[in-house]
Amino acid sequence: MTVEPSTRSRVAALATRPKDAPPIVMLTAYDFPSAQAADAGGVDMVLVGDSAATNVLGYRSTREILVEELLMLTRAARRGVRNALLVGDLPFSTYEATDDLAVSTARRFADAGCDLVKVEGSAEIVSRVRAIVSRGIPVVGHVGLLPQGAANADELKVRGRSAVEAAAIVNDARALEAAGASALVIEAVPSPVADAVAREVRIPVIGIGAGAGVDGQVLVYHDLLGLGTGHVPKFVRPYAALHEETVRAIIAYAADVRARRFPADAETYAMSDAELAAFRSRGLR
């Protein structure tokens, strides 16, 4: 896919974005209608996250989604985005092993329409970030809690509560910036740690469960709209309760169908009297 020059300049401007600029608004989206809604809502960045694994495809963890599945969702989201920058998550085990694998996977997401790709990790993926960036594909790093690194739900917990772990997160952020990352996502860390990261690197730091002192915020589409049914993390603020509203609508629809209240005359197509008479003259009722 050809990237418009204006988009290239917007991506390039991320790395030098003033720290006192208005916070970046990022939201996940996994298909055409969700991406279209996010874009219409004025977000700055749409992330086709590997969280589609649990929120859309019914997997138990983000590790289970296949690259082909996430690419399909990425192409759908691309068709819904007109103004926001589109970021694609590289799925678990599709970039970690070698630089060549990382570049190959990143290229597939760029070809699917991503303006940037996102990878999780620290020192072990610095080389991967450098390799992807060297091929002209901008990268968003991810520090703090790394969901792809969690083997089970018990490992999805706050990171950086000890001084040693907090300092390591800051060092990870520095290393990813030095490798050429255009921005960072920082997840589930105490706010003083996130604040320190935001001060220590020049690139934007976008938080999820990282307090208000960073350079932007990201939430999962289903969490923001109340579309999920499972555990809601502490850092989520639901702005709607669409799961309950959807269920109520379906219950009402089912009741109307069973009581023959739907469809009514207003929802039914008619024929002219002459054509109806001609039809019935054929012995059909």
Side-chain angles (χ1 to χ4, degrees), residues 48 66-68 70-71 74 86-91 94 104-117:
V48 187
L66 302 177
V67 67
E68 292 80 8
L70 198 49
L71 282 168
T74 298
L86 188 69
V87 184
D89 253 339
L90 302 193
T94 68
S104 175
T105 303
R107 174 54 58 196
R108 295 179 72 182
F109 278 81
D111 289 345
C114 290
D115 301 311
L116 307 96
V117 298

Side-chain angles (χ1 to χ4, degrees), residues 1 15 18 36 40 43 109 119-120 127 133 135 144 154 157 169 191 194 208 216 219 222 228 232 243 245 252 267 280:
M1 177 175 176
Q36 190 178 47
V43 305
F109 278 81
V119 297
E120 293 186 11
S127 176
V133 171
R135 302 308 197 278
D154 292 338
K157 58 186 180 181
I169 291 170
S191 58
I208 179 167
L219 278 180
H222 289 63
V232 177
H243 176 75
E245 185 62 27
E267 294 117 6
R280 286 181 173 166

Side-chain angles (χ1 to χ4, degrees), residues 125-140:
I125 65 154
V126 164
S127 176
R128 313 294 178 252
V129 171
R130 190 177 293 114
I132 295 169
V133 171
S134 73
R135 302 308 197 278
I137 302 171
V139 173
V140 176

Side-chain angles (χ1 to χ4, degrees), residues 27-28 30 51 55 208 218-233 235-242:
L27 183 64
T28 68
Y30 311 112
S51 49
N55 288 305
I208 179 167
V218 57
L219 278 180
V220 169
Y221 186 88
H222 289 63
D223 290 342
L224 182 150
L225 295 177
L227 284 166
T229 58
H231 169 71
V232 177
F235 55 75
V236 170
R237 180 186 296 177
Y239 285 81
L242 296 191

Side-chain angles (χ1 to χ4, degrees), residues 130-210:
R130 190 177 293 114
I132 295 169
V133 171
S134 73
R135 302 308 197 278
I137 302 171
V139 173
V140 176
H142 188 140
V143 298
L145 171 61
L146 306 176
Q148 290 182 3
N152 56 65
D154 292 338
E155 296 182 4
L156 294 172
K157 58 186 180 181
V158 176
R159 297 292 193 266
R161 279 187 159 149
S162 73
V164 170
E165 192 174 45
I169 291 170
V170 174
N171 288 333
D172 291 343
R174 290 172 177 153
L176 290 168
E177 179 183 41
S182 296
L184 293 175
V185 168
I186 185 166
E187 181 169 359
V189 302
S191 58
V193 180
D195 294 351
V197 170
R199 287 192 298 268
E200 289 294 318
V201 300
R202 295 180 299 276
I203 58 177
V205 178
I206 301 170
I208 179 167

